Amino acid sequence: MMGRTVIAEESLQERLTALAKVGTFQIGLLIGQNARDRDYLVHLAPTPIPDEGDLSSEEEDAVPHSPKTEHGKSKVPESIPKVVDAIVAQHTRQVVRMLPGGLDVIGLFVVTPQSDYDTSQSQSKIRSILGAVHRTAAKILLETAELRSEKIILHVCTQTFKCTVKTVDVSPTAVGIQNSAELRFHRGGVKWQQISYSYNINLNFWLPKDKSPQSLYKMILSLIKPWAQSVTKSLILIDSELQNSYDFLDPYAEEKQTKKKGTGSSVRGGMADLSPPKVFTAEILDSGAPLAVEGPGSGLEESSGNVRLAGTVAGLAFVHSKATVGEARSSVLVDLVRSVVARWEMHCDSLVEEPPSHLVGPIIHEPPRRVFLEGGGLPVSLCDYLFPGDNTTDACQSAKELLGLTVRSEHVDDTLETLADATEVMDSGEGGVGEGPRLGSDRSSASSTCPVSYILLASGVAALGIAFSYVTLQSSKA
Amino acid sequence: MALFHVNMEKRAFLLSQLIQRLQRQKEPREGQLFGFRTDDGRLLAIALCTDYGNLKHDKSLLLPAPLTPIGKFEVTKGDHSKPELEENEIAVIWDQEDLHVYVSEDQQISTTCFTTLSEEDLSELFVVARVNFSLDLTSRDTVVSISNTIQTLVEQLESPSTCFRLQDSTLILQNKDGGVLSLENQGGKGNVDIGSVIKGAKKKKASLHTVNFQMLQNRSTVTCRNAPVVRIDNRKSGILSTHFKGEAIVYLQKSCKVSKVAALLVQGVIQQLHLAECWLERQLNDKKLCGNLTSYNSLHFLSGHVVNVIYPENSDDKNLEPYRKDVHEALMFPMNQPMVRKGNRLPIIEAKSNVLKNTHIGLKPSSVYGEISVVKGIYGYHHYMQDNFNDNKWGCAYRSLQTLVSWFRFQGYTEKPIPTHSEIQKCLVDIGDKPSSFLDSRQWIGSTEVGFVLDNMYNITSKFIFVSSGADLAEKGRELAFHFQTQGTPIMIGGGVLAHTIIGVDYNTESGDISFLILDPHYTGSEDLSTIQNKGWCGWKGPEFWDPKAYYNLCLPQRPLCI
């Protein structure tokens, strides 16, 4: 009994059989949760063949410029060695954004004949893909949390219809030997516990005088990083209590378990227990201490600009039924960091070009807002981000394309985060226009003599429902 | 316990230090009395605030929350006529002969007697909360911008997102109705007394019980659901970059309901912010004052109450003297003792010093029944083997010197560290008192050397007393008592092969009996107060303690006159 146990949703058994029966090659991501002593498999997300231009420039370079179909589509691979690492990594990047806290890409599945799977070429390819998947999924966490580097490989043989599960450690220091693992389908469905929270983010940075120009993405990231580091030191209350991190999140979880063992009855079969997950509310508290940002020195200084990031993040995380408070807290933190970084990445990806540098004055960037998706046969919710101008059907489309899930648009909840409000970052004394008339003594004359206009720059890229917008507040010359 | 069972005639309570401060005044003055009105109608006067002075900020910001004005005081040259008072106010008049106290009730102003409040009485009524917080106060370099930044922070503090965690507990208070976010084993009931929640607060103590709180922001109190946006302003501007490492002091009545505490702590923090605002404005005009701000709240024995002060971390005491002078004036503190220097700062609880302080507190009195005069303020007990340094059998005078220096450090006279044995030796070699072979030796030093080091390293002069026999020390009662009353510093005494520290005398002028309060540096054990007191390492000793065959030299450090 070495090796790990992978607990899978019962419905996945049919799914795997179906994939085997279709018989065509397929690679995809395993979505689930790594717990201390076991892993939970929730969903299989087949990796789609991306349209050209969907890859980030970095990833694009990695794709060989060889065979492409006439529709601009990369060719569908038919064996493991033909899979392009970057495409799976790209898929990971997009899927991770759709996962609430607690859920991760925990491995790969491949549907292919045993003969393809067994070759040493295939084996090293799988390891390299898993490495790319791991690095991609870890990157968004900004080093605030450790992702489990032991990944799962689920092979579905198209000839024998057999499923085998192995694990391999992809960390650079690991030897990379595969360990066999056990796949167990949980009849009646795995119980999940849901943790909801909201987080009011409010960051204000002054840029040092001689800051060399950086891309928008890098600049904001260099500010978000210290925030993310400080967030890991937060106190997290669950249902307004500060429990020990080794307590069970659901104090009755252990009781139920022992009861079951006591009566000797096994997990009951038949109908899946469709009771909704138990819901907890988390509250995140921190000291509000200044962040360790590389900013201007202390005292009277020159600053080359000011950045404010403000608004409310709606958050969601899921943990398995026997999770501890500590596990719940970690999943909340991962969710928070991932959600803040994801929307900034998506916003920057959507910008056709950087805002023109000759524009002097405040610019408001409006990253996409978070929505939550239910259904699709999953026991947990997923999330997505909607750009201004997008609607809930765009989220359904992402679910279809990236996860192979059918979600009805009325099951997309877009009420937890509402359209960003520019006043959020305008009203503060510091975010304000500084010496401008807005803060002057004579407010009434300010409005008439200072023609402040909001200019909305938006341009939609139809294909994947990607749009971007930024509003500039440009003070025209008097 | 008398405090708790007052009849209504005893309404006026005056802090003993406040009485002494008033009685020392010669020139006519007036100002406000600050203190508390208790639920049962008592008026507790804790602090004085004069009506004049050069302070650029509201003087009441110097006083801990939630002290409020409860009346006024006057110093006159003989006149003690009935003052004008608002309802439920108190007036105290010092006419150079007596203290006259008036209270107003039901439109009537009547004279009344008063009760003196000792520190012990205060500790029976209050616990002192120390609230730690850290904030970024950076703003544009204009007064308007500073004021906006402070205002924004004040609004945030007043919101329900502000929380406080009691150190090492799961009690978290939140600034909202109910006031409690998380409370260990109490099921979220805010209706218990804070005194019963805090461990050890019920015990009777000679000094105020302090508890630490950490201020927190609850990021999950939802006021709106707007998704985050980013605003980037690429315009250059001048800014004043300042971080504030603050500490707010709040006096909490032990009977105060837990649910009411958060609002009081918020009040304390806001007060600190307004004090900080004043410093930010000064930083705009004086580069020397720039730098991060830190709270240096003090509790001097002459004050009896905490004084809130904030200083720029990098500014030295000399630079800050004009401000200290204004503070002393505003609170009628004497002008010849430092009371609000950085060095007067309340000891930081987290920094666990391995040296015990004021080890004589709790000792049984001596059997002399005379007038007891002891060291004023705080000293540290330095003795053999501390700091992992083996000076057994030779370092007693060095340790006594360390105790003397500790007093000057705790009382704010110096921020220089306690001298090590080798620093002491180096000083004596440098001034030519000892040859260079003295360095790293195990040679003893005497009271003259102690005086040299105090003078050269700390600018502290000393008086010396020489007696040719230990028996003669019994004759020095009056002199020593006078020293403790006027100087209040510990005394190093060397004689024969031994050095000790005298920290008090009990002198009966009628019988001539005398007892010495001795702090013995020859102790080699651990910092265990009960051992130290029970085995006599700190205790009262009769005249026979001194060897009649040895001669003794005493070094009596003199307080520099400064603030």
Side-chain angles (χ1 to χ4, degrees):
Chain A
M1 269 306 288
M2 301 300 286
R4 288 181 73 83
T5 305
V6 180
I7 311 279
E9 290 290 334
E10 193 177 25
S11 60
L12 290 176
Q13 193 163 21
E14 284 169 42
R15 180 83 201 286
L16 289 168
T17 316
L19 280 169
K21 282 183 178 158
V22 171
T24 50
F25 178 84
Q26 179 67 60
I27 191 162
L29 304 175
L30 298 178
I31 292 166
Q33 181 159 83
N34 296 126
R36 275 154 308 166
D37 52 351
R38 53 184 56 198
D39 301 309
Y40 295 91
L41 179 57
V42 173
H43 182 62
L44 312 174
T47 300
I49 302 307
D51 290 324
E52 233 183 325
D54 282 359
L55 298 177
S56 72
S57 50
E58 203 178 315
E59 288 155 348
E60 189 118 40
D61 292 343
V63 180
H65 289 285
S66 50
K68 296 210 172 131
T69 64
E70 55 218 71
H71 303 296
K73 279 216 162 194
S74 308
K75 206 174 166 186
V76 181
E78 70 283 347
S79 67
I80 295 172
K82 295 275 168 61
V83 176
V84 178
D85 293 15
I87 288 176
V88 185
Q90 155 75 355
H91 186 215
T92 306
R93 201 162 84 102
Q94 291 171 319
V95 163
V96 162
R97 290 171 184 162
M98 300 190 73
L99 302 179
L103 295 181
D104 281 299
V105 173
I106 59 171
L108 279 180
F109 72 92
V110 264
V111 184
T112 194
Q114 197 72 36
S115 52
D116 176 35
Y117 182 75
D118 282 342
T119 67
S120 62
Q121 206 192 353
S122 294
Q123 288 300 310
S124 74
K125 184 73 185 171
I126 285 173
R127 202 181 124 75
S128 104
I129 296 171
L130 276 174
V133 165
H134 181 69
R135 284 192 301 276
T136 308
K139 199 179 159 206
I140 195 170
L141 297 174
L142 304 180
E143 289 157 28
T144 56
E146 286 261 342
L147 268 191
R148 193 183 177 84
S149 60
E150 190 179 5
K151 298 288 179 208
I152 300 164
I153 309 160
L154 170 57
H155 171 228
V156 184
C157 178
T158 49
Q159 287 157 334
T160 61
F161 301 170
K162 255 181 72 180
C163 296
T164 52
V165 183
K166 294 198 164 147
T167 61
V168 63
D169 193 333
V170 295
S171 62
T173 49
V175 281
I177 294 171
Q178 294 189 358
N179 295 309
S180 46
E182 185 195 355
L183 180 64
R184 248 196 264 162
F185 293 98
H186 196 287
R187 291 205 285 171
V190 176
K191 282 269 180 297
W192 292 91
Q193 307 185 83
Q194 177 186 323
I195 307 132
S196 304
Y197 69 93
S198 65
Y199 182 90
N200 201 297
I201 191 166
N202 191 347
L203 308 176
N204 191 31
F205 304 104
W206 295 91
L207 303 172
K209 181 170 61 171
D210 302 316
K211 188 90 180 161
S212 51
Q214 277 180 318
S215 75
L216 195 58
Y217 173 75
K218 285 217 169 114
M219 179 176 80
I220 300 295
L221 216 62
S222 71
L223 303 176
I224 290 179
K225 247 188 185 168
W227 164 77
Q229 289 298 337
S230 81
V231 157
T232 59
K233 298 186 196 88
S234 303
L235 276 187
I236 300 183
L237 310 188
I238 308 271
D239 285 347
S240 293
E241 286 294 333
L242 187 60
Q243 301 109 313
N244 283 319
S245 55
Y246 46 77
D247 287 347
F248 284 106
L249 179 60
D250 178 2
Y252 305 108
E254 198 180 26
E255 227 170 81
K256 278 183 211 154
Q257 202 185 3
T258 49
K259 223 189 243 169
K260 261 178 203 164
K261 274 185 189 154
T263 56
S265 71
S266 59
V267 185
R268 93 197 114 94
M271 283 296 292
D273 188 351
L274 288 174
S275 61
K278 201 166 175 167
V279 179
F280 297 87
T281 305
E283 284 167 88
I284 304 176
L285 283 71
D286 64 50
S287 70
L291 299 175
V293 181
E294 203 186 312
S298 173
L300 288 163
E301 292 284 336
E302 285 289 311
S303 162
S304 64
N306 174 260
V307 179
R308 271 204 68 172
L309 201 165
T312 304
V313 173
L316 190 63
F318 289 91
V319 288
H320 61 94
S321 60
K322 278 159 244 157
T324 60
V325 169
E327 285 176 284
R329 284 183 181 141
S330 312
S331 66
V332 163
L333 289 178
V334 163
D335 184 69
L336 178 57
V337 172
R338 226 155 50 178
S339 179
V340 169
V341 178
R343 53 185 96 202
W344 190 248
E345 277 181 359
M346 292 173 77
H347 175 72
C348 289
D349 286 352
S350 75
L351 291 179
V352 174
E353 56 185 29
E354 297 267 322
S357 59
H358 65 267
L359 264 180
V360 174
I363 294 178
I364 292 174
H365 290 266
E366 200 179 332
R369 68 194 167 107
R370 196 176 197 187
V371 295
F372 295 95
L373 293 73
E374 273 181 37
L378 293 192
V380 294
S381 307
L382 299 167
C383 64
D384 195 12
Y385 295 88
L386 291 191
F387 286 91
D390 283 3
N391 59 41
T392 52
T393 53
D394 294 298
C396 300
Q397 203 179 337
S398 321
K400 184 89 214 154
E401 281 169 22
L402 297 171
L403 300 167
L405 281 174
T406 309
V407 176
R408 293 155 59 126
S409 89
E410 57 270 32
H411 289 162
V412 179
D413 187 352
D414 68 342
T415 60
L416 293 176
E417 280 187 18
T418 53
L419 270 177
D421 183 359
T423 58
E424 189 101 354
V425 281
M426 299 308 299
D427 275 347
S428 141
E430 245 1 271
V433 197
E435 314 315 310
R438 278 169 69 93
L439 293 176
S441 49
D442 192 351
R443 259 168 207 280
S444 56
S445 78
S447 53
S448 58
T449 59
C450 179
V452 175
S453 58
Y454 292 83
I455 299 172
L456 181 79
L457 299 179
S459 132
V461 182
L464 268 176
I466 294 175
F468 80 93
S469 75
Y470 58 81
V471 186
T472 111
L473 191 141
Q474 191 187 35
S475 45
S476 57
K477 283 172 192 161
Chain B
M1 287 312 273
L3 262 172
F4 288 113
H5 307 286
V6 279
N7 54 40
M8 283 312 286
E9 278 160 35
K10 276 195 173 179
R11 291 190 58 206
F13 293 79
L14 308 182
L15 186 65
S16 63
Q17 283 95 333
L18 177 143
I19 296 171
Q20 286 163 18
R21 210 173 309 143
L22 273 177
Q23 290 177 337
R24 221 176 280 128
Q25 304 302 317
K26 302 270 188 294
E27 296 306 311
R29 317 202 77 175
E30 55 185 35
Q32 281 182 298
L33 284 176
F34 278 78
F36 297 91
R37 290 188 177 90
T38 62
D39 298 337
D40 52 6
R42 284 173 288 167
L43 292 158
L44 315 181
I46 308 292
L48 301 170
C49 241
T50 58
D51 280 347
Y52 15 75
N54 298 322
L55 273 183
K56 299 277 191 299
H57 58 75
D58 187 346
K59 294 182 194 74
S60 65
L61 293 178
L62 298 168
L63 303 175
L67 261 68
T68 47
I70 56 165
K72 56 187 174 189
F73 72 88
E74 280 176 43
V75 179
T76 65
K77 293 198 164 174
D79 173 30
H80 61 267
S81 52
K82 200 181 270 188
E84 281 181 28
L85 285 177
E86 303 283 318
E87 181 65 16
N88 203 10
E89 277 193 338
I90 178 173
V92 179
I93 299 173
W94 168 243
D95 63 1
Q96 308 300 326
E97 272 182 25
D98 279 308
L99 274 184
H100 304 271
V101 179
Y102 298 88
V103 290
S104 63
E105 193 177 24
D106 302 330
Q107 322 286 326
Q108 296 243 321
I109 300 174
S110 52
T111 176
T112 179
C113 53
F114 67 87
T115 312
T116 305
L117 269 180
S118 68
E119 215 166 313
E120 208 168 310
D121 297 330
L122 268 192
S123 79
E124 210 173 328
L125 288 170
F126 297 97
V127 284
V128 170
R130 301 177 68 173
V131 183
N132 289 295
F133 60 91
S134 183
L135 293 168
D136 186 356
L137 303 184
T138 303
S139 68
R140 278 178 221 279
D141 57 357
T142 64
V143 174
V144 176
S145 181
I146 289 171
S147 149
N148 283 336
T149 302
I150 298 292
Q151 195 48 41
T152 307
L153 285 168
V154 167
E155 278 163 25
Q156 191 192 358
L157 286 170
E158 284 171 339
S159 80
S161 69
T162 303
C163 295
F164 302 92
R165 182 186 186 184
L166 179 64
Q167 192 175 27
D168 301 326
S169 86
T170 57
L171 172 65
I172 299 176
L173 306 171
Q174 185 161 12
N175 187 30
K176 62 172 186 188
D177 289 345
V180 180
L181 186 54
S182 155
L183 176 58
E184 194 170 36
N185 304 327
Q186 306 269 0
K189 281 177 227 141
N191 206 3
V192 285
D193 299 346
I194 187 73
S196 61
V197 171
I198 292 166
K199 284 183 197 119
K202 288 238 161 125
K203 274 190 240 155
K204 197 169 176 172
K205 287 203 175 170
S207 57
L208 285 160
H209 185 82
T210 14
V211 288
N212 282 6
F213 284 92
Q214 171 68 49
M215 185 169 83
L216 297 166
Q217 285 297 319
N218 187 342
R219 305 286 170 188
S220 303
T221 45
V222 186
T223 45
C224 74
R225 297 183 178 281
N226 292 329
V229 288
V230 178
R231 174 187 184 279
I232 300 175
D233 188 344
N234 61 356
R235 287 176 299 180
K236 291 185 173 51
S237 62
I239 58 168
L240 177 64
S241 169
T242 307
H243 290 177
F244 179 25
K245 202 167 173 298
E247 180 190 69
I249 305 285
V250 180
Y251 280 54
L252 299 173
Q253 292 193 44
K254 287 182 187 173
S255 58
C256 180
K257 297 279 176 262
V258 170
S259 58
K260 308 276 182 222
V261 171
L264 294 173
L265 302 185
V266 165
Q267 194 188 328
V269 177
I270 289 176
Q271 218 175 299
Q272 288 279 304
L273 270 181
H274 286 306
L275 256 188
E277 181 176 6
C278 171
W279 280 102
L280 293 174
E281 285 172 14
R282 296 183 62 182
Q283 288 186 335
L284 280 185
N285 304 315
D286 188 350
K287 273 211 157 163
K288 277 200 295 248
L289 295 177
C290 281
N292 293 337
L293 298 173
T294 305
S295 300
Y296 289 91
N297 307 318
S298 71
L299 174 54
H300 196 275
F301 62 88
L302 286 178
S303 153
H305 61 79
V306 169
V307 179
N308 293 330
V309 283
I310 293 173
Y311 296 118
E313 259 163 34
N314 309 327
S315 280
D316 58 26
D317 275 332
K318 194 152 183 55
N319 234 331
L320 302 168
E321 194 178 320
Y323 178 77
R324 288 201 302 275
K325 223 175 136 193
D326 294 343
V327 172
H328 276 244
E329 240 165 34
L331 302 177
M332 298 208 339
F333 286 166
M335 284 300 186
N336 60 9
Q337 297 200 43
M339 290 173 67
V340 291
R341 280 196 189 186
K342 287 183 176 179
N344 292 111
R345 177 187 202 172
L346 282 164
I348 295 169
I349 293 172
E350 302 89 74
K352 286 227 172 80
S353 160
N354 51 353
V355 174
L356 293 175
K357 293 189 275 291
N358 288 24
T359 45
H360 68 283
I361 289 174
L363 281 176
K364 286 206 184 81
S366 82
S367 50
V368 168
Y369 304 111
E371 189 182 5
I372 297 174
S373 312
V374 295
V375 165
K376 289 179 178 166
I378 303 167
Y379 61 88
Y381 180 22
H382 292 264
H383 58 76
Y384 278 167
M385 306 301 286
Q386 280 175 336
D387 323 306
N388 299 318
F389 187 75
N390 185 350
D391 58 345
N392 199 355
K393 305 225 175 359
W394 63 276
C396 51
Y398 294 79
R399 296 297 186 179
S400 179
L401 169 57
Q402 288 181 337
T403 292
L404 265 46
V405 172
S406 79
W407 187 92
F408 285 93
R409 278 171 51 82
F410 280 119
Q411 267 55 242
Y413 288 89
T414 181
E415 288 199 86
K416 285 189 198 153
I418 302 282
T420 62
H421 295 61
S422 73
E423 281 163 354
I424 293 167
Q425 289 174 340
K426 183 172 183 303
C427 171
L428 291 169
V429 171
D430 287 350
I431 61 167
D433 180 62
K434 295 272 188 271
S436 56
S437 61
F438 182 63
L439 291 177
D440 299 322
S441 71
R442 295 185 160 202
Q443 289 181 47
W444 303 340
I445 56 171
S447 47
T448 20
E449 285 90 345
V450 166
F452 285 151
V453 174
L454 285 176
D455 193 5
N456 280 281
M457 289 182 77
Y458 301 92
N459 276 322
I460 296 160
T461 58
S462 303
K463 269 190 189 163
F464 296 90
I465 298 177
F466 302 97
V467 291
S468 51
S469 157
D472 294 350
L473 278 164
E475 311 302 316
K476 297 293 174 188
R478 201 177 299 273
E479 212 169 327
L480 294 178
F482 182 75
H483 168 83
F484 287 117
Q485 285 154 20
T486 56
Q487 296 295 328
T489 63
I491 297 170
M492 181 266 172
I493 176 167
V497 296
L498 300 173
H500 288 95
T501 314
I502 305 176
I503 52 174
V505 284
D506 188 353
Y507 180 53
N508 190 324
T509 43
E510 280 170 31
S511 64
D513 288 348
I514 185 166
S515 193
F516 302 86
L517 185 53
I518 299 297
L519 191 63
D520 193 338
H522 303 90
Y523 176 60
T524 53
S526 63
E527 312 308 313
D528 177 44
L529 186 61
S530 67
T531 307
I532 289 162
Q533 293 193 340
N534 295 337
K535 304 272 171 175
W537 296 105
C538 177
W540 291 101
K541 314 281 177 186
E544 71 287 350
F545 182 74
W546 312 110
D547 181 356
K549 289 194 219 69
Y551 65 88
Y552 284 89
N553 296 331
L554 287 76
C555 172
L556 292 70
Q558 307 293 299
R559 288 189 285 106
L561 299 180
C562 59
I563 60 162

